[in-house]
Amino acid sequence: QVQLVESGGDSVQPGGSLRLSCAASGYTYISRCMGWLRQAPGQEREWVAVVCSGQIGQLTTVYADSVKGRFTASQDVARNTLSLQMNNLKPEDTALYYCAANRGHYWSRNVREWDYWGQGTQVTVSS
């Protein structure tokens, strides 16, 4: 049984930083994609960043335009973790952040096409 547990959410002021972590258990795929998605109140869930690990450990990362240059995602396959370093946070980054994972090396911008989800961790950016 795959479980994803997020941590690190908090309330910060605009311009601040946070680091989110996702610990996976029972997730044994070597070639795979994991991602961060978020949902703000009254809005659709959207993808933020995706990190894919290839068969020989090579990592590829993609970011949504809204966070490019401010957020950095990384995946540690050996430790089965995913992280998201968020800098220069803006009020529009306020959302519930989810860790998601797939059964293989694929991903979709369609949030309904992710196989596993965590419960989410709240990030609030406000002065």
Side-chain angles (χ1 to χ4, degrees), residues 11 17 21 33 38 46 52 55 87 99 109 115 125-126:
S11 295
S17 297
S21 296
C33 290
R38 68 186 181 185
E46 61 177 3
C52 294
Q55 197 66 32
N87 297 327
C99 173
R109 288 174 172 79
D115 298 320
V125 185
S126 174

Side-chain angles (χ1 to χ4, degrees), residues 47-124:
W47 75 281
V48 174
V50 176
V51 185
C52 294
S53 171
Q55 197 66 32
I56 58 173
Q58 71 275 30
L59 298 177
T60 56
T61 309
V62 291
Y63 299 95
D65 288 343
S66 59
V67 306
K68 204 172 293 184
R70 300 188 298 121
F71 290 11
T72 302
S74 59
Q75 184 183 156
D76 188 326
V77 177
R79 297 187 176 185
N80 233 355
T81 59
L82 180 72
S83 64
L84 184 68
Q85 177 66 41
M86 305 186 294
N87 297 327
N88 190 21
L89 283 160
K90 303 177 180 180
E92 51 264 41
D93 295 318
T94 295
L96 187 60
Y97 283 72
Y98 296 92
C99 173
N102 280 338
R103 297 187 184 94
H105 197 274
Y106 59 87
W107 72 280
S108 171
R109 288 174 172 79
N110 185 339
V111 300
R112 295 176 179 80
E113 295 182 8
W114 286 83
D115 298 320
Y116 306 108
W117 291 87
Q119 293 300 305
T121 186
Q122 179 67 38
V123 172
T124 303

